[in-house]
Amino acid sequence: AVKRCTRSRAALTPPAPPHAACEHRTQRQGPTVPSPTSMSSVRAATSPASAAAAAARSAALTRRVAGGSRGAHGRRAPRTATGAVASADASVDVAKVEDAWIAGSLERCASGAGVEALRSDAIASLARARVPNSRVEDYRFTDLAPLITSKPVAADPAAAADVDVATWTLAAADATRVVLVDGAYSPERSDVTGAGKAGVVVSTVSLGASSEVIGKVSAARPGGAGVFAEMNAATASDAVVIDVPAGKAPSSPIHIVQLSTSASTKDGEMSSSAPRVAVHVGEGASVSIVEEFAAAGGVLADGAYWHNGVCELVLEKGAKVTHTMVQAQTRAAVHTRATYLTQAEESEYKLAEINVGGKLGRHDLGVTQLGPRTNTELACFNLAGEGQCLDLHSKVTLDHEEGTTDQVHKCIVSAASGRGVFDGNVQVNRLAQRTDAGQISRNLLLVPKATVNVKPNLQIVADDVVCTHGCTVSDLEEEGLFYLQSRGLSPATARSLLVAGFGLEIVSKVAHDDLKGRVGSLVRASLDRDDVVLVA
């Protein structure tokens, strides 16, 4: 069923409270899937013994960071630079962090180098934070067990030595490619000469890039940036800065390749990285950004690691950004990502996102329109297979008149143990008159017991708006199958064509043919793994 909420000039009813938002929880056949595993056990105790343990961790970390260049488990700490990057002798005080899992993760992952503008504030924010569990509304259907039952450790820099990036090329971005391996900028694998010729600055904080944008958007978010974004701020060893000056419009996209390694670990340890990207687009400028997330070559198909990334974007008046994201991590990996952006007057942001990897994939997307006549278009396609949970949490805030936003979310769940989650919030505040906001979520369950949890949420305070939202959850339609079979196609071929066409609306938004071909191969391989055959 499709639920629509429409407000016109004459509709002056007060807005519904947040708890009254539409919610859809659907499981195709079979018994109800139980709630995600409770994670309350990871909370730190407040006993004297716990306080003593925290003090011991802090002292050990201080000795480790101040005493030499090696981090946790004898690994060499990342190189640091003067200026905006913290010095190697700076300690990370985790004694005030009450949650045991957060404190332990910071201790093992923050090896001394960090972005000075972020680390101290992040540690302060995490002091009383808790790892989210199923009792937290935003994580009610997102099982974090694959992450919190592990011990994240800093990725070993030696594992990045033999990484080959030949697979992730983009013909249009040969001279505008940025490569990050385990969150660290790899100059020998990157080529940004084309960006410089176009007047675009692509650099890192450790190389002297301005860090004014970094943390600006996250800090301004109501309620803070979130636990995992704050952990990224506390453990990031560097940050990539992209600055497009006013009036510039580079013809080539900025291609950001983010690869993760999975070194052999023990005692439940999981290699982790915290890449961070900050983008500033000046007045009247435009740029295309393509991000790819994957396991580095040589990582096994079941290699486990944690990619905890953050991207912040600031769009000035009249700026235009086209953003493409393709996430293809292994099915044992954990992928948490936060994308926060602000849009000034008459700016335009278009996002096309495809997610096929990760045992746990979580994307927190926050958009704030800061001026009138601002346009936001969000498109996401998630493909959840066996044992996967792919989650999109988005919030779009409109505070000015004549703003527009259009969000399309599509999800295929191809295995009984797969789960799709969507929580989309569109908030139209009192001054956002003559707003046009649309949101739709379409979900396809291919097998019995496949599960999707969908919560479209439209909050309207303004009284002169046109806003709609809706949700559909189903298997393939019998009418469509019958129509194709009546044209001489076999049942298998008919079903294959309908599955392939379901995500085509989102995939077709990918502008580059070579990238579009990679996405098609990823989708086909993922469906093949779950015995859903697509006819060539």
Side-chain angles (χ1 to χ4, degrees), residues 159-490:
D162 300 324
V163 171
D164 185 6
V165 297
T167 304
W168 298 275
T169 58
L170 204 60
D174 282 343
T176 53
R177 181 171 66 171
V178 178
V179 178
L180 306 178
V181 181
D182 289 328
Y185 176 64
S186 178
E188 65 276 10
R189 300 178 179 91
S190 304
D191 186 349
V192 295
T193 55
K197 293 177 181 178
V200 178
V201 176
V202 180
S203 187
T204 65
V205 172
S206 62
L207 295 176
S210 171
S211 59
E212 293 180 1
V213 175
I214 301 175
K216 178 179 178 181
V217 183
S218 299
R221 287 185 57 77
V227 171
F228 298 122
E230 295 289 7
M231 292 184 69
N232 170 282
T235 60
S237 61
D238 205 348
V240 173
V241 176
I242 300 173
D243 186 12
V244 185
K248 296 294 183 180
S251 57
S252 299
I254 307 297
H255 187 203
I256 306 174
V257 181
Q258 303 191 33
L259 303 179
S260 300
T261 63
S262 177
S264 57
T265 57
K266 59 182 180 179
D267 299 329
E269 294 178 352
M270 177 186 287
S271 176
S272 69
S273 61
R276 196 173 187 104
V277 178
V279 181
H280 177 262
V281 186
E283 183 175 345
S286 63
V287 68
S288 175
I289 298 173
V290 177
E291 291 188 87
E292 289 191 80
F293 310 90
V299 175
L300 299 177
D302 58 350
Y305 52 86
W306 179 26
H307 176 105
N308 183 32
V310 170
C311 180
E312 297 174 291
L313 301 97
V314 175
L315 281 65
E316 304 292 356
K317 180 179 178 180
K320 296 182 179 181
V321 172
T322 302
H323 197 176
T324 305
M325 287 191 285
V326 179
Q327 186 267 105
Q329 311 284 18
T330 70
R331 285 200 178 182
V334 175
H335 179 91
T336 53
R337 161 73 178 225
T339 304
Y340 301 135
L341 65 135
T342 58
Q343 295 182 245
E345 178 180 355
E346 297 179 349
S347 61
E348 180 179 270
Y349 177 77
K350 296 181 179 181
L351 170 67
E353 176 186 4
I354 296 97
N355 296 286
V356 298
K359 185 178 183 66
L360 168 62
R362 165 85 178 210
H363 186 197
D364 288 287
L365 174 62
V367 182
T368 304
Q369 294 187 358
L370 299 179
R373 297 176 296 281
T374 304
N375 180 45
T376 306
E377 298 180 20
L378 309 174
C380 175
F381 172 51
N382 287 345
L383 175 56
E386 183 179 0
Q388 290 183 276
C389 176
L390 297 183
D391 179 1
L392 172 63
H393 267 64
S394 66
K395 182 173 183 178
V396 182
T397 304
L398 298 90
D399 277 311
H400 298 269
E401 60 185 15
E402 298 180 0
T404 61
T405 178
D406 183 30
Q407 183 174 26
V408 178
H409 167 264
K410 288 195 170 186
C411 179
I412 295 178
V413 184
S414 58
S417 57
R419 179 189 293 268
V421 180
F422 172 65
D423 189 321
N425 181 285
V426 179
Q427 185 172 338
V428 183
N429 291 327
R430 186 173 302 279
L431 297 180
Q433 303 294 340
R434 298 181 297 282
T435 288
D436 187 346
Q439 181 188 76
I440 186 69
S441 175
R442 302 190 186 280
N443 304 271
L444 184 62
L445 308 182
L446 296 182
V447 296
K449 298 186 180 180
T451 305
V452 63
N453 303 104
V454 185
K455 183 182 176 184
N457 187 348
L458 183 60
Q459 297 175 321
I460 307 171
V461 182
D463 56 10
D464 184 5
V465 299
V466 177
C467 298
T468 63
H469 73 161
C471 166
T472 62
V473 181
S474 67
D475 190 0
L476 294 174
E477 295 182 1
E478 293 297 332
E479 288 186 8
L481 290 170
F482 175 78
Y483 176 83
L484 291 176
Q485 292 178 56
S486 68
R487 297 305 187 264
L489 300 179
S490 67

Side-chain angles (χ1 to χ4, degrees), residues 508-530:
S508 63
K509 295 180 182 292
V510 177
H512 309 283
D513 291 340
D514 42 1
L515 180 60
K516 192 178 296 185
R518 275 202 295 278
V519 170
S521 298
L522 289 169
V523 171
R524 183 180 297 273
S526 181
L527 290 172
D528 285 348
R529 186 166 176 175
D530 295 315

